[in-house]
Amino acid sequence: MTGTGPDVTDLGDARRRVEELVCGLPGAGEQPFDQPWELRAFALAVAAYHEGHYEWSEFQRSLIESIRHWESGSGGESWSYYEHWLRALESVLSSKGLLSDNEIDEETRTVLAVPRNANHHEAHREPVAVAAARTS
Amino acid sequence: MAATDTSLRTEAEITARVKALEALLIEKGVMTTAAVDRMAEIYENEVGPQLGAKVVARAWTDPEFKARLLDDASAACAEMGIGGLQGEEMVVLENTEKVHNIIVCTLCSCYPWPVLGLPPNWYKMPQYRSRIVRDPRGVLAQDFGFVIPDDVEIRVWDSSSELRYWVMPRRPEGTDGMTAEQLEPLVTRNSMIGVGPAAAPAA
Protein backbone atom coordinates (compact mmCIF):
# COMPACT_ATOMS: atom_id res chain seq x y z
CA MET A 1 0.00 0.00 0.00
CA THR A 2 1.25 3.44 -0.82
CA GLY A 3 -0.95 5.23 1.66
CA THR A 4 -2.06 7.62 -1.06
CA GLY A 5 -5.30 5.88 -1.96
CA PRO A 6 -6.01 3.52 -4.79
CA ASP A 7 -4.53 4.24 -8.20
CA VAL A 8 -7.59 4.22 -10.43
CA THR A 9 -5.80 4.40 -13.77
CA ASP A 10 -5.54 1.44 -16.14
CA LEU A 11 -1.94 1.11 -15.13
CA GLY A 12 -2.88 1.04 -11.46
CA ASP A 13 -5.53 -1.55 -12.18
CA ALA A 14 -3.07 -3.72 -14.09
CA ARG A 15 -0.61 -3.40 -11.27
CA ARG A 16 -3.17 -4.52 -8.69
CA ARG A 17 -4.21 -7.47 -10.77
CA VAL A 18 -0.61 -8.54 -11.15
CA GLU A 19 0.11 -8.06 -7.46
CA GLU A 20 -2.74 -10.41 -6.69
CA LEU A 21 -0.47 -13.06 -8.14
CA VAL A 22 1.47 -13.04 -4.92
CA CYS A 23 -1.53 -14.20 -2.93
CA GLY A 24 -2.42 -16.91 -5.41
CA LEU A 25 1.01 -18.37 -5.60
CA PRO A 26 1.87 -21.59 -3.84
CA GLY A 27 3.62 -21.90 -0.52
CA ALA A 28 2.70 -18.86 1.52
CA GLY A 29 5.74 -17.85 3.53
CA GLU A 30 7.98 -19.19 0.80
CA GLN A 31 6.82 -16.87 -1.89
CA PRO A 32 8.62 -16.38 -5.13
CA PHE A 33 8.68 -12.61 -4.66
CA ASP A 34 10.04 -10.48 -1.85
CA GLN A 35 9.06 -7.09 -3.21
CA PRO A 36 6.15 -5.88 -5.35
CA TRP A 37 8.58 -4.61 -8.01
CA GLU A 38 9.88 -8.15 -8.49
CA LEU A 39 6.42 -9.37 -9.32
CA ARG A 40 5.89 -6.48 -11.72
CA ALA A 41 9.17 -7.17 -13.46
CA PHE A 42 8.21 -10.84 -13.75
CA ALA A 43 4.77 -10.01 -15.11
CA LEU A 44 6.13 -7.54 -17.67
CA ALA A 45 8.64 -10.02 -19.06
CA VAL A 46 6.10 -12.80 -19.46
CA ALA A 47 3.43 -10.50 -20.86
CA ALA A 48 5.86 -9.00 -23.40
CA TYR A 49 6.80 -12.52 -24.44
CA HIS A 50 3.14 -13.50 -24.81
CA GLU A 51 2.63 -10.42 -26.95
CA GLY A 52 5.28 -11.77 -29.30
CA HIS A 53 8.02 -9.21 -28.74
CA TYR A 54 10.78 -11.78 -28.29
CA GLU A 55 11.47 -15.46 -28.05
CA TRP A 56 11.61 -16.79 -24.51
CA SER A 57 15.05 -18.24 -25.23
CA GLU A 58 16.31 -14.73 -26.03
CA PHE A 59 15.15 -13.53 -22.65
CA GLN A 60 16.71 -16.54 -20.95
CA ARG A 61 20.05 -16.01 -22.65
CA SER A 62 20.00 -12.44 -21.49
CA LEU A 63 19.20 -13.55 -17.93
CA ILE A 64 21.96 -16.14 -17.96
CA GLU A 65 24.42 -13.57 -19.19
CA SER A 66 23.54 -11.16 -16.41
CA ILE A 67 23.88 -13.84 -13.73
CA ARG A 68 27.15 -15.08 -15.19
CA HIS A 69 28.48 -11.56 -15.14
CA TRP A 70 27.55 -11.29 -11.46
CA GLU A 71 29.13 -14.65 -10.65
CA SER A 72 32.38 -13.77 -12.33
CA GLY A 73 32.57 -10.47 -10.46
CA SER A 74 34.84 -9.75 -7.56
CA GLY A 75 32.03 -10.43 -5.12
CA GLY A 76 30.64 -7.96 -2.68
CA GLU A 77 27.62 -7.18 -4.82
CA SER A 78 24.53 -8.42 -3.10
CA TRP A 79 22.34 -11.01 -4.79
CA SER A 80 18.97 -10.09 -6.23
CA TYR A 81 17.57 -12.55 -8.74
CA TYR A 82 15.02 -10.08 -9.99
CA GLU A 83 17.60 -7.37 -10.55
CA HIS A 84 19.11 -9.74 -13.07
CA TRP A 85 15.65 -10.41 -14.38
CA LEU A 86 15.04 -6.69 -14.82
CA ARG A 87 18.39 -6.16 -16.46
CA ALA A 88 17.66 -9.03 -18.85
CA LEU A 89 14.28 -7.56 -19.68
CA GLU A 90 15.71 -4.11 -20.36
CA SER A 91 18.43 -5.62 -22.48
CA VAL A 92 16.13 -7.76 -24.61
CA LEU A 93 13.64 -4.90 -25.06
CA SER A 94 16.37 -2.51 -26.14
CA SER A 95 17.90 -5.10 -28.48
CA LYS A 96 14.48 -5.22 -30.17
CA GLY A 97 14.45 -1.45 -30.46
CA LEU A 98 11.39 -1.16 -28.23
CA LEU A 99 13.03 0.95 -25.54
CA SER A 100 16.34 2.59 -24.90
CA ASP A 101 18.35 2.86 -21.71
CA ASN A 102 18.13 6.62 -21.99
CA GLU A 103 14.36 6.56 -22.08
CA ILE A 104 14.21 4.33 -19.04
CA ASP A 105 16.76 6.47 -17.20
CA GLU A 106 14.79 9.59 -17.96
CA GLU A 107 11.43 8.13 -16.98
CA THR A 108 12.99 6.73 -13.80
CA ARG A 109 14.26 10.18 -12.86
CA THR A 110 10.76 11.53 -13.42
CA VAL A 111 9.26 8.88 -11.18
CA LEU A 112 11.88 9.53 -8.51
CA ALA A 113 11.31 13.28 -8.71
CA VAL A 114 7.68 12.84 -7.69
CA PRO A 115 7.77 11.54 -4.16
CA ARG A 116 4.88 9.50 -2.85
CA ASN A 117 3.95 12.15 -0.38
CA ALA A 118 4.37 15.02 -2.83
CA ASN A 119 1.08 16.62 -1.84
CA HIS A 120 1.25 15.69 1.81
CA HIS A 121 1.53 19.29 2.97
CA GLU A 122 -1.74 20.21 1.27
CA ALA A 123 -5.00 20.18 3.15
CA HIS A 124 -7.24 17.28 2.16
CA ARG A 125 -10.77 18.45 2.76
CA GLU A 126 -12.57 15.38 1.51
CA PRO A 127 -12.44 11.85 2.82
CA VAL A 128 -9.81 9.80 1.02
CA ALA A 129 -11.98 6.70 1.10
CA VAL A 130 -15.65 5.99 1.65
CA ALA A 131 -17.25 2.63 2.26
CA ALA A 132 -20.92 2.78 1.39
CA ALA A 133 -23.45 2.09 4.12
CA ARG A 134 -24.93 -1.36 4.12
CA THR A 135 -28.68 -1.46 4.11
CA SER A 136 -29.42 -5.16 4.42
CA MET B 1 22.43 5.73 -13.46
CA ALA B 2 24.12 3.26 -15.77
CA ALA B 3 21.89 0.42 -16.87
CA THR B 4 24.68 -2.06 -16.34
CA ASP B 5 25.40 -1.23 -12.75
CA THR B 6 22.45 -2.40 -10.72
CA SER B 7 24.42 -2.96 -7.55
CA LEU B 8 24.40 0.72 -6.69
CA ARG B 9 20.65 1.00 -6.83
CA THR B 10 18.61 1.49 -3.76
CA GLU B 11 15.29 -0.26 -3.35
CA ALA B 12 13.54 3.04 -4.10
CA GLU B 13 15.51 3.48 -7.28
CA ILE B 14 14.83 0.03 -8.56
CA THR B 15 11.14 0.31 -7.70
CA ALA B 16 11.04 3.55 -9.66
CA ARG B 17 12.87 1.92 -12.55
CA VAL B 18 10.36 -0.92 -12.83
CA LYS B 19 7.52 1.56 -12.57
CA ALA B 20 9.11 3.62 -15.34
CA LEU B 21 9.57 0.55 -17.52
CA GLU B 22 5.97 -0.50 -17.06
CA ALA B 23 4.66 2.98 -17.77
CA LEU B 24 6.76 3.29 -20.93
CA LEU B 25 5.72 -0.12 -22.24
CA ILE B 26 2.04 0.58 -21.77
CA GLU B 27 2.34 4.13 -23.10
CA LYS B 28 4.11 2.90 -26.25
CA GLY B 29 1.59 0.17 -26.82
CA VAL B 30 4.22 -2.55 -26.47
CA MET B 31 2.10 -3.99 -23.73
CA THR B 32 -1.52 -3.61 -22.83
CA THR B 33 -3.30 -3.84 -19.54
CA ALA B 34 -5.21 -6.79 -20.94
CA ALA B 35 -2.02 -8.67 -21.72
CA VAL B 36 -0.68 -8.22 -18.22
CA ASP B 37 -4.07 -9.19 -16.82
CA ARG B 38 -4.17 -12.34 -18.90
CA MET B 39 -0.73 -13.34 -17.75
CA ALA B 40 -1.65 -12.63 -14.15
CA GLU B 41 -4.79 -14.70 -14.52
CA ILE B 42 -2.87 -17.69 -15.83
CA TYR B 43 -0.27 -17.70 -13.09
CA GLU B 44 -2.72 -16.78 -10.39
CA ASN B 45 -5.41 -19.33 -11.03
CA GLU B 46 -4.16 -22.04 -13.27
CA VAL B 47 -0.49 -22.75 -12.73
CA GLY B 48 1.04 -24.18 -9.59
CA PRO B 49 2.36 -27.34 -7.97
CA GLN B 50 -1.18 -28.69 -7.77
CA LEU B 51 -0.85 -29.46 -11.48
CA GLY B 52 2.38 -31.39 -10.99
CA ALA B 53 0.73 -33.18 -8.06
CA LYS B 54 -2.12 -34.24 -10.32
CA VAL B 55 0.36 -35.70 -12.79
CA VAL B 56 2.33 -37.57 -10.12
CA ALA B 57 -0.80 -38.96 -8.45
CA ARG B 58 -1.99 -40.27 -11.79
CA ALA B 59 1.39 -41.85 -12.49
CA TRP B 60 1.30 -43.57 -9.09
CA THR B 61 -2.04 -45.16 -9.92
CA ASP B 62 -1.79 -45.72 -13.67
CA PRO B 63 1.29 -47.72 -14.76
CA GLU B 64 0.73 -47.06 -18.44
CA PHE B 65 0.55 -43.33 -17.88
CA LYS B 66 3.65 -43.53 -15.70
CA ALA B 67 5.55 -45.23 -18.51
CA ARG B 68 4.50 -42.48 -20.90
CA LEU B 69 5.44 -39.80 -18.36
CA LEU B 70 8.93 -41.19 -17.85
CA ASP B 71 9.33 -41.60 -21.59
CA ASP B 72 8.22 -38.09 -22.57
CA ALA B 73 7.03 -35.86 -19.74
CA SER B 74 5.97 -32.93 -21.92
CA ALA B 75 3.79 -35.17 -24.09
CA ALA B 76 2.26 -36.97 -21.10
CA CYS B 77 1.47 -33.65 -19.41
CA ALA B 78 -0.05 -32.39 -22.65
CA GLU B 79 -2.44 -35.37 -22.51
CA MET B 80 -3.76 -33.82 -19.31
CA GLY B 81 -3.91 -30.36 -20.84
CA ILE B 82 -0.84 -29.20 -18.92
CA GLY B 83 1.90 -27.28 -20.67
CA GLY B 84 3.16 -23.85 -21.62
CA LEU B 85 6.02 -21.49 -21.07
CA GLN B 86 9.06 -23.22 -19.53
CA GLY B 87 7.39 -26.59 -19.99
CA GLU B 88 8.45 -27.26 -23.54
CA GLU B 89 11.09 -29.90 -22.79
CA MET B 90 10.51 -31.60 -19.45
CA VAL B 91 11.99 -34.77 -18.04
CA VAL B 92 10.54 -36.52 -14.99
CA LEU B 93 12.97 -38.40 -12.73
CA GLU B 94 11.59 -41.26 -10.70
CA ASN B 95 12.76 -41.71 -7.13
CA THR B 96 13.24 -45.31 -6.06
CA GLU B 97 14.46 -47.17 -2.98
CA LYS B 98 17.98 -46.88 -4.29
CA VAL B 99 18.07 -43.55 -6.11
CA HIS B 100 16.97 -40.12 -4.96
CA ASN B 101 16.81 -37.22 -7.44
CA ILE B 102 17.10 -33.48 -6.83
CA ILE B 103 16.77 -30.63 -9.30
CA VAL B 104 18.67 -27.37 -9.47
CA CYS B 105 19.49 -24.80 -12.09
CA THR B 106 23.08 -23.72 -11.64
CA LEU B 107 22.74 -20.73 -13.95
CA CYS B 108 19.44 -18.94 -14.17
CA SER B 109 16.98 -20.93 -12.05
CA CYS B 110 15.15 -22.67 -14.89
CA TYR B 111 12.10 -24.37 -13.47
CA PRO B 112 9.11 -26.20 -14.97
CA TRP B 113 6.47 -23.50 -14.42
CA PRO B 114 3.50 -25.38 -15.92
CA VAL B 115 3.72 -28.16 -13.32
CA LEU B 116 5.37 -26.52 -10.31
CA GLY B 117 4.32 -22.88 -10.57
CA LEU B 118 7.05 -20.33 -9.94
CA PRO B 119 10.15 -21.28 -7.96
CA PRO B 120 10.42 -20.30 -4.30
CA ASN B 121 13.05 -17.72 -3.40
CA TRP B 122 15.52 -20.21 -1.98
CA TYR B 123 15.62 -22.12 -5.27
CA LYS B 124 17.00 -18.98 -6.92
CA MET B 125 19.63 -18.27 -4.29
CA PRO B 126 23.26 -18.80 -5.33
CA GLN B 127 23.79 -20.64 -2.04
CA TYR B 128 21.28 -23.36 -2.93
CA ARG B 129 22.48 -23.46 -6.51
CA SER B 130 26.08 -24.07 -5.54
CA ARG B 131 25.79 -26.01 -2.28
CA ILE B 132 23.28 -28.60 -3.45
CA VAL B 133 25.73 -29.64 -6.16
CA ARG B 134 28.71 -29.90 -3.80
CA ASP B 135 27.00 -31.58 -0.88
CA PRO B 136 23.46 -32.72 -1.68
CA ARG B 137 23.20 -35.10 1.26
CA GLY B 138 24.34 -32.47 3.72
CA VAL B 139 22.14 -29.68 2.35
CA LEU B 140 19.06 -31.90 2.39
CA ALA B 141 19.70 -32.84 6.01
CA GLN B 142 20.74 -29.40 7.28
CA ASP B 143 18.48 -27.08 5.31
CA PHE B 144 15.46 -29.27 4.73
CA GLY B 145 15.59 -31.76 7.60
CA PHE B 146 15.37 -34.51 5.01
CA VAL B 147 17.78 -37.36 5.71
CA ILE B 148 18.53 -39.72 2.84
CA PRO B 149 19.81 -43.12 4.00
CA ASP B 150 23.48 -43.69 3.24
CA ASP B 151 22.74 -46.63 0.96
CA VAL B 152 20.62 -44.47 -1.34
CA GLU B 153 22.39 -42.77 -4.23
CA ILE B 154 21.62 -39.09 -4.75
CA ARG B 155 21.61 -37.61 -8.23
CA VAL B 156 21.45 -33.86 -8.75
CA TRP B 157 20.14 -32.74 -12.13
CA ASP B 158 20.88 -29.36 -13.65
CA SER B 159 17.99 -27.83 -15.55
CA SER B 160 18.77 -25.57 -18.47
CA SER B 161 16.77 -23.43 -20.81
CA GLU B 162 16.70 -26.43 -23.17
CA LEU B 163 15.62 -29.10 -20.71
CA ARG B 164 13.83 -28.90 -17.38
CA TYR B 165 13.78 -31.71 -14.87
CA TRP B 166 11.35 -32.45 -12.07
CA VAL B 167 10.97 -35.31 -9.67
CA MET B 168 8.38 -38.03 -9.17
CA PRO B 169 8.66 -38.74 -5.44
CA ARG B 170 8.13 -42.23 -4.02
CA ARG B 171 4.57 -43.10 -3.19
CA PRO B 172 4.21 -42.93 0.61
CA GLU B 173 3.67 -46.05 2.68
CA GLY B 174 0.13 -46.82 3.71
CA THR B 175 -1.52 -45.40 0.63
CA ASP B 176 -2.53 -48.67 -1.01
CA GLY B 177 -6.03 -48.46 -2.37
CA MET B 178 -6.10 -44.66 -2.39
CA THR B 179 -7.35 -43.03 -5.57
CA ALA B 180 -5.35 -40.51 -7.59
CA GLU B 181 -7.57 -37.75 -6.24
CA GLN B 182 -6.88 -38.80 -2.67
CA LEU B 183 -3.15 -38.97 -3.37
CA GLU B 184 -2.82 -35.52 -4.96
CA PRO B 185 -2.60 -33.56 -1.69
CA LEU B 186 0.32 -35.74 -0.59
CA VAL B 187 2.47 -34.57 -3.49
CA THR B 188 4.21 -31.39 -2.31
CA ARG B 189 6.17 -28.86 -4.28
CA ASN B 190 9.35 -29.72 -2.38
CA SER B 191 8.90 -33.41 -3.10
CA MET B 192 8.85 -32.61 -6.82
CA ILE B 193 12.06 -30.56 -6.46
CA GLY B 194 13.54 -33.47 -4.54
CA VAL B 195 14.20 -31.64 -1.29
CA GLY B 196 11.46 -33.39 0.64
CA PRO B 197 9.38 -36.58 0.65
CA ALA B 198 5.76 -36.84 -0.40
CA ALA B 199 3.59 -36.30 2.67
CA ALA B 200 2.33 -39.23 4.71
CA PRO B 201 -1.41 -39.88 4.60
CA ALA B 202 -3.42 -38.59 7.54
CA ALA B 203 -3.79 -41.34 10.13
Side-chain angles (χ1 to χ4, degrees):
Chain A
M1 297 300 292
T2 61
T4 54
D7 179 351
V8 295
T9 62
D10 278 356
L11 184 55
D13 185 51
R15 190 166 291 158
R16 265 192 304 282
R17 294 289 297 275
V18 173
E19 281 173 1
E20 282 174 9
L21 260 172
V22 165
C23 309
L25 285 167
E30 279 200 310
Q31 290 181 343
F33 305 102
D34 277 333
Q35 302 291 334
W37 69 262
E38 299 176 346
L39 172 59
R40 289 217 291 283
F42 169 82
L44 287 169
V46 179
Y49 159 76
H50 278 295
E51 291 292 289
H53 294 295
Y54 45 75
E55 293 298 319
W56 193 244
S57 58
E58 297 177 283
F59 175 76
Q60 284 178 313
R61 274 198 296 277
S62 192
L63 179 59
I64 288 168
E65 197 179 308
S66 178
I67 292 175
R68 268 212 181 111
H69 181 75
W70 179 85
E71 283 178 334
S72 63
S74 53
E77 294 183 27
S78 63
W79 168 257
S80 164
Y81 179 78
Y82 280 104
E83 283 204 29
H84 294 291
W85 184 281
L86 177 62
R87 193 189 294 184
L89 177 60
E90 288 182 17
S91 153
V92 77
L93 289 171
S94 72
S95 78
K96 297 288 170 187
L98 295 167
L99 282 176
S100 70
D101 284 347
N102 282 344
E103 278 180 297
I104 306 171
D105 288 348
E106 196 177 314
E107 181 76 17
T108 302
R109 277 192 291 273
T110 307
V111 172
L112 283 169
V114 182
R116 278 178 184 179
N117 56 355
N119 64 350
H120 193 64
H121 64 283
E122 295 165 8
H124 299 189
R125 299 189 190 281
E126 299 293 333
V128 294
V130 175
R134 293 178 177 174
T135 51
S136 58
Chain B
M1 192 184 305
T4 49
D5 192 1
T6 56
S7 64
L8 299 176
R9 290 179 188 168
T10 64
E11 202 69 19
E13 282 167 346
I14 198 162
T15 299
R17 196 165 179 90
V18 176
K19 203 170 176 180
L21 187 62
E22 183 172 344
L24 283 170
L25 289 173
I26 289 177
E27 189 184 301
K28 288 175 166 236
V30 168
M31 175 101 44
T32 62
T33 303
V36 180
D37 281 354
R38 188 166 68 242
M39 199 286 304
E41 202 69 27
I42 290 169
Y43 287 92
E44 183 184 0
N45 299 322
E46 296 168 29
V47 181
Q50 74 278 4
L51 293 182
K54 213 179 264 294
V55 176
V56 168
R58 178 163 171 204
W60 279 344
T61 54
D62 177 348
E64 286 176 10
F65 177 76
K66 177 175 153 183
R68 293 200 298 280
L69 181 68
L70 295 176
D71 180 52
D72 183 342
S74 298
C77 288
E79 281 178 36
M80 298 176 71
I82 296 169
L85 193 55
Q86 301 230 136
E88 296 86 356
E89 291 292 336
M90 299 191 291
V91 170
V92 168
L93 307 159
E94 182 185 15
N95 284 348
T96 67
E97 275 181 29
K98 290 293 158 209
V99 176
H100 180 81
N101 298 288
I102 306 171
I103 61 167
V104 67
C105 175
T106 54
L107 269 179
C108 62
S109 318
C110 288
Y111 194 75
W113 294 356
V115 281
L116 296 190
L118 300 174
N121 267 325
W122 56 259
Y123 183 85
K124 296 173 293 200
M125 299 297 276
Q127 292 84 343
Y128 172 76
R129 297 189 299 135
S130 60
R131 289 176 60 227
I132 199 75
V133 173
R134 287 203 308 271
D135 178 19
R137 209 175 289 274
V139 172
L140 284 193
Q142 289 153 28
D143 295 21
F144 297 93
F146 184 34
V147 176
I148 304 292
D150 284 342
D151 64 344
V152 173
E153 177 179 305
I154 298 179
R155 296 179 187 162
V156 181
W157 302 78
D158 188 17
S159 284
S160 72
S161 51
E162 300 295 316
L163 187 58
R164 289 173 199 87
Y165 296 104
W166 54 290
V167 176
M168 174 159 75
R170 292 176 62 199
R171 182 169 171 164
E173 305 282 331
T175 58
D176 292 352
M178 284 173 71
T179 65
E181 272 182 6
Q182 292 169 320
L183 291 166
E184 274 170 36
L186 305 182
V187 187
T188 62
R189 178 196 65 198
N190 281 11
S191 73
M192 291 184 283
I193 297 175
V195 296

